[in-house]
């Protein structure tokens, strides 16, 4: 199989050069970073945007009359505009800045679902979900007497569409579904699933943590009601994220947290809440991180989501093609439509042992349950080894993974 490249042969080398952390040795070997699904490395433009703010523009946002505060506010709100454009939200008021996907989903569970759910109602999710898209619903179901129900997946790691359809009844008040499974790489056919849910009047939240780094996302075209994602999966800083929500829904929702910035007026008798999106942004936000998040959006758009998608898709095909030739490999997650993630087992080597041997050879992968214990249980496994790709990976990285696996196989023979 020929080695995949970006559109032009120089693109891949250029991108890789933008990421300083990739240019180091780990345990005496050039680093091969195959853990972008956990957290992607950051390009120099992101690192510099954060450093510049810290060095020259640091001040609190929104409340200041002085120049630094104006500059900080401009940069911070500029990031919101970039994020609006990035997911094609119809208005900047629909972009709620959060600390990440986890907080975004908890916000919806507590602010949208908690006032709405009654005993007898249901929240529907799938077996593929990350704990962030399970536990917040469990909590709100316990608080309200509603029930959490789960659509099963088949042996390839695809949601069983007929059973998902059967579970969508008038009792279901919200469907929470991942765009891409972080454990198995499955890309859900979101447009079709969302259309089915919306036909029945079901509100849909998409966990987009593993969607936005790998493909163009247009929330209006998708037709969902909420879309949650994290900055650090898309080459930005940790502790940043977005809840996109339809304005009409966000307007109706009560604040999730109280504090500064989310108010217009406070007395001991009464508080008037701020307008969207500030109603949901209590307290001093992660200003530096959000400015870096904006720079990450610029970076992704300069490379082009279509280019990234094509590159990662051919690289994933190449990885699977090479992995299946390794004696003793069992792939976990073989969906027809997969993005950038491959879980596997090698003989009966414990994933943690395998991950350690790979690390000794400079190859960084993730091992364990990937914060998705139920789907691991579905496959009867405590965990897997997972290689996940970013835009900076190349076929050389895959070749290094394969030779490190061969070595591990010999070590444990
Ligand atoms: N959802 C998915 C699919 C994820 O992969 C992750 C992180 O791994 C999360 C949610 C949680 O993201 P964060 O920890 O940035 O809130």
């Amino acid at each position: 199989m020929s080695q995949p490249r970006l559109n032009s042969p120089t693109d891949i080398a250029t991108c890789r050069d933008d990421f300083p952390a990739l240019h180091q040795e780990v345990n005496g070997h050039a680093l091969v970073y195959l853990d972008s699904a956990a957290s992607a490395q950051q390009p120099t433009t992101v690192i510099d945007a954060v450093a510049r703010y810290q060095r020259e523009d640091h001040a609190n946002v929104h409340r200041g009359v002085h120049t630094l505060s104006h500059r900080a506010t401009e940069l911070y709100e500029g990031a919101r505009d970039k994020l609006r454009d990035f997911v094609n939200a119809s208005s900047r008021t629909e972009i709620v800045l959060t600390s990440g996907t986890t907080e975004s989903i908890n916000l919806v569970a507590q602010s949208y679902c908690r006032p709405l759910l009654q005993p007898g109602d249901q929240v529907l999710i799938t077996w593929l979900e990350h704990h962030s898209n399970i536990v917040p619903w469990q909590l709100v179901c316990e608080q309200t007497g509603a029930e959490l129900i789960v659509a099963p997946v088949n042996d390839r790691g695809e949601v069983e569409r007929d059973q998902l359809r059967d579970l969508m009844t008038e009792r279901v008040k919200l469907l929470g579904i991942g765009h891409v499974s972080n454990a198995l790489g499955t890309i859900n056919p979101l447009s079709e699933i969302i259309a089915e849910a919306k036909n029945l009047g079901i509100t849909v939240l998409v966990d987009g943590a593993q969607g936005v780094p790998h493909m163009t996302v247009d929330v209006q075209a998708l037709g969902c009601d909420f879309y949650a994602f994290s900055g650090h999966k898309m080459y930005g800083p940790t502790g940043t994220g977005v809840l996109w929500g339809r304005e009409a829904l966000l307007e109706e929702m009560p604040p999730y947290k109280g504090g500064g910035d989310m108010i217009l007026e406070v007395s001991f008798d009464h508080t008037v809440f701020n307008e969207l999106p500030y109603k949901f942004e209590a307290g001093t936000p992660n200003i530096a991180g959000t400015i870096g998040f904006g720079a990450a959006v610029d970076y992704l758009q300069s490379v082009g989501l279509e280019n990234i998608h094509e590159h990662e898709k051919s690289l994933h095909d190449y990885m699977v093609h090479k992995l299946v030739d390794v004696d003793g490999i069992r792939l976990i997650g073989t969906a027809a439509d997969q993005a950038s993630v491959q879980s596997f087992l090698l003989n009966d080597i414990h994933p943690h042992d395998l991950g350690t041997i790979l690390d000794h050879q400079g190859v960084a992968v993730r091992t364990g349950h990937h914060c998705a214990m139920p789907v691991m249980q579905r496959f009867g496994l405590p965990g897997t080894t997972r290689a996940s790709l970013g835009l900076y990976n190349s076929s050389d990285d895959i070749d290094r993974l394969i030779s490190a696996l061969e070595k591990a196989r010999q070590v444990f023979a």
Side-chain angles (χ1 to χ4, degrees), residues 323-394:
L323 277 173
V324 294
D325 278 350
V326 177
D327 242 12
I329 279 279
R330 178 180 157 206
L331 299 184
I332 309 294
T334 51
D337 204 8
Q338 250 181 313
S340 302
V341 167
Q342 190 59 56
S343 267
F344 56 85
L345 299 172
L346 179 57
N347 293 324
D348 56 358
I349 306 172
H350 193 284
H352 289 325
D353 294 335
L354 184 56
T356 305
I357 299 275
L358 297 186
D359 183 55
H360 288 162
Q361 298 172 76
V363 178
V365 293
R366 181 130 307 233
T367 61
H369 53 65
H370 316 297
C371 293
M373 280 186 181
V375 79
M376 293 292 122
Q377 287 154 9
R378 161 66 180 77
F379 286 87
L381 301 168
T384 66
T385 300
R386 179 189 77 181
S388 60
L389 304 167
L391 64 91
Y392 35 58
N393 289 118
S394 68

Side-chain angles (χ1 to χ4, degrees), residues 19 40-43 46 231-236 296 300 312 390-392:
F19 293 82
Q41 296 298 340
Q42 296 171 29
V46 169
H232 70 108
K233 313 276 190 197
M234 43 185 277
Y235 312 100
L300 277 172
E312 291 180 353
L391 64 91
Y392 35 58

Side-chain angles (χ1 to χ4, degrees), residues 37-38 99-103 105 130 132-133 180-182 207 209-210 230 232-233 240 370-371 386:
S99 65
T101 309
T102 303
E103 192 192 5
I105 297 175
H130 186 280
S132 294
N133 202 25
V180 174
S181 155
N182 69 306
D207 170 354
Q210 302 291 345
S230 299
H232 70 108
K233 313 276 190 197
T240 61
H370 316 297
C371 293
R386 179 189 77 181

Side-chain angles (χ1 to χ4, degrees), residues 60-63 76 97 257-263 278-287:
N60 212 330
V61 288
H62 301 149
R63 296 182 278 273
Y76 179 77
L97 296 169
K257 294 175 179 169
D261 235 24
M262 53 73 74
I263 52 86
Y278 309 107
K279 180 172 80 171
F280 295 110
E281 296 181 5
T284 299
N286 182 353
I287 304 168

Side-chain angles (χ1 to χ4, degrees), residues 1-59:
M1 189 179 184
S2 66
Q3 307 213 335
R5 291 189 178 283
L6 273 182
N7 284 354
S8 88
T10 54
D11 286 350
I12 190 85
T14 312
C15 288
R16 194 180 181 81
D17 286 348
D18 295 337
F19 293 82
L22 297 177
H23 300 276
Q24 63 176 298
E25 290 204 343
V26 169
N27 295 323
H29 301 271
L31 170 65
V32 170
Y33 191 74
L34 294 171
D35 196 22
S36 297
S39 203
Q41 296 298 340
Q42 296 171 29
T44 308
T45 50
V46 169
I47 298 165
D48 287 352
V50 173
R52 201 175 314 114
Y53 161 77
Q54 306 280 28
R55 246 192 338 257
E56 299 168 17
D57 306 315
H58 174 73

Side-chain angles (χ1 to χ4, degrees), residues 1-5 34 310-326 331 338 340 342 387 389 393-403 405:
M1 189 179 184
S2 66
Q3 307 213 335
R5 291 189 178 283
L34 294 171
E310 281 309 306
H311 170 63
E312 291 180 353
K313 191 169 167 11
S314 53
L315 207 53
H316 182 267
D317 288 349
Y318 182 69
M319 177 160 68
V320 169
H321 172 81
K322 298 293 264 188
L323 277 173
V324 294
D325 278 350
V326 177
L331 299 184
Q338 250 181 313
S340 302
Q342 190 59 56
L389 304 167
N393 289 118
S394 68
S395 53
D396 291 347
D397 294 336
I398 307 299
D399 294 343
R400 283 275 310 280
L401 168 69
I402 299 300
S403 55
L405 286 170

